[in-house]
Amino acid sequence: MVDIDQLWRYDGRRAVVTGCASGIGEHVVRQLTELGAEVVGLDKRRPSLPVNEFHEVDLADPVSIDGAVASVGGRVDTLFNVAGVSSGIGEPALVATINFLGLRHVTEALVPRMGAGSSVVSVSSLAAAAYREHAAVVAPLLGTATMQDGIDWCHAHPDELGNGYQLSKEAIILYTMRSATPLGAKSIRINCSGPGVTETPILDQLRTAYGQGFLDDIPKPLGRVSDPAEQAAVLLFLNSRAASYITGQVLWVDGGNVGAAIARELEEGRAHGRLD
């Protein structure tokens, strides 16, 4: 029987964290360090927190990703795909490239270094809550064979791409679910989280692009936005031994937003006589 405290610990585990320099990723680094992990950080700039290794990476550039992965070397026990940008940067193809295609490229480059009992977690978004309804639109991007193929698809399909953000975050969820079985055959788990509004640099991008009113209009059943440390803690849970039988899942960390939306649909259906 494993001691319950040890299920949460990361002692002796080598963790790679993308987006380690700010926001949720910075808090992932802090919490992993407190729990005993050897932390390898990947980002465009060096984090202020100490890490065991740091390698610069541009998730929009497959050559940069391959170079960073080569520099990581050795085994990887757990991967945290945290890096991302919002639609506020105004370049839909670049948004999708960084948020999904780069994430996929990093993951598939590192998986060969992961042994049985390893795990992957990625950060999706509340914006992807309708991923089931949009699966047919996302499928062609998921089906691209390489990062460059995906970039080409984005440029060729601006209507399907939209602002790039929603599609990329839906792709993360569907990629996670599709990967669960083949990775499971290697005893590797993969999951993702779906954060609600969280106070990170991405939120500043959205404020600048769309105004504070855009954020205020997003329902918040708990009456507040999330702190990045709250999001980081869920990611650490999903990659910990405490979650050893969870794979292929999206865990909504949205303060009840998705649940409240479903409840509203049920009430509206009852009000219109569509439900008994």
Side-chain angles (χ1 to χ4, degrees):
M1 179 71 70
V2 178
D3 184 279
I4 188 67
D5 290 337
Q6 293 304 309
L7 292 177
W8 297 90
R9 297 286 305 179
Y10 279 78
D11 301 286
R13 301 184 72 191
R14 192 165 186 244
V16 175
V17 183
T18 73
C20 65
S22 64
I24 297 170
E26 181 179 24
H27 285 272
V28 167
V29 169
R30 179 178 286 111
Q31 293 176 19
L32 281 170
T33 300
E34 292 175 359
L35 291 172
E38 177 185 344
V39 181
V40 180
L42 302 181
D43 209 316
K44 294 188 75 172
R45 61 183 177 87
R46 182 174 290 275
S48 59
L49 294 176
V51 291
N52 297 92
E53 295 178 35
F54 172 74
H55 304 289
E56 185 176 339
V57 68
D58 180 356
L59 288 182
D61 181 359
V63 175
S64 175
I65 294 172
D66 290 340
V69 168
S71 297
V72 168
R75 82 175 197 285
V76 173
D77 299 306
T78 185
L79 171 61
F80 293 81
N81 287 312
V82 186
V85 295
S86 78
S87 60
I89 68 171
E91 299 181 55
L94 181 60
V95 172
T97 298
I98 294 171
N99 287 358
F100 172 63
L101 296 171
L103 176 153
R104 181 180 68 176
H105 196 86
V106 166
T107 301
E108 294 182 356
L110 288 176
V111 159
R113 303 186 188 181
M114 303 177 82
S118 299
S119 55
V120 179
V121 70
S122 304
V123 177
S124 180
S125 171
L126 176 61
Y131 70 93
R132 286 187 180 90
E133 292 88 337
H134 299 158
V137 176
V138 181
L141 179 61
L142 280 174
T144 56
T146 68
M147 189 169 172
Q148 188 58 54
D149 289 343
I151 293 170
D152 292 343
W153 183 90
C154 289
H155 286 292
H157 297 85
D159 292 340
E160 292 91 336
L161 182 62
N163 66 15
Y165 187 78
Q166 178 177 326
L167 187 78
S168 67
K169 294 299 187 175
E170 291 169 343
I172 289 172
I173 296 175
L174 294 168
Y175 174 72
T176 296
M177 293 177 172
R178 193 175 74 171
S179 300
T181 297
L183 289 182
K186 302 175 182 179
S187 296
I188 298 173
R189 298 184 300 106
I190 183 168
N191 294 289
C192 64
S193 67
V197 181
T198 304
E199 196 61 61
T200 68
I202 280 185
L203 215 59
D204 291 334
Q205 292 176 1
L206 292 173
R207 287 191 183 99
T208 300
Y210 306 120
Q212 182 63 39
F214 172 81
L215 300 173
D216 292 341
D217 287 342
I218 298 173
K220 301 174 187 67
L222 284 179
R224 62 178 178 85
V225 301
S226 171
D227 182 273
E230 294 175 300
Q231 299 294 335
V234 173
L235 298 176
L236 264 72
F237 162 68
L238 286 171
N239 266 354
S240 75
R241 296 180 181 92
S244 59
Y245 205 63
I246 301 175
T247 195
Q249 302 298 314
V250 54
L251 179 53
W252 299 111
V253 195
D254 62 350
N257 195 301
V258 169
I262 293 172
R264 285 195 300 272
E265 290 176 6
L266 290 172
E267 290 303 316
E268 289 170 3
R270 189 173 289 112
H272 289 87
R274 295 192 298 268
L275 296 173
D276 293 331

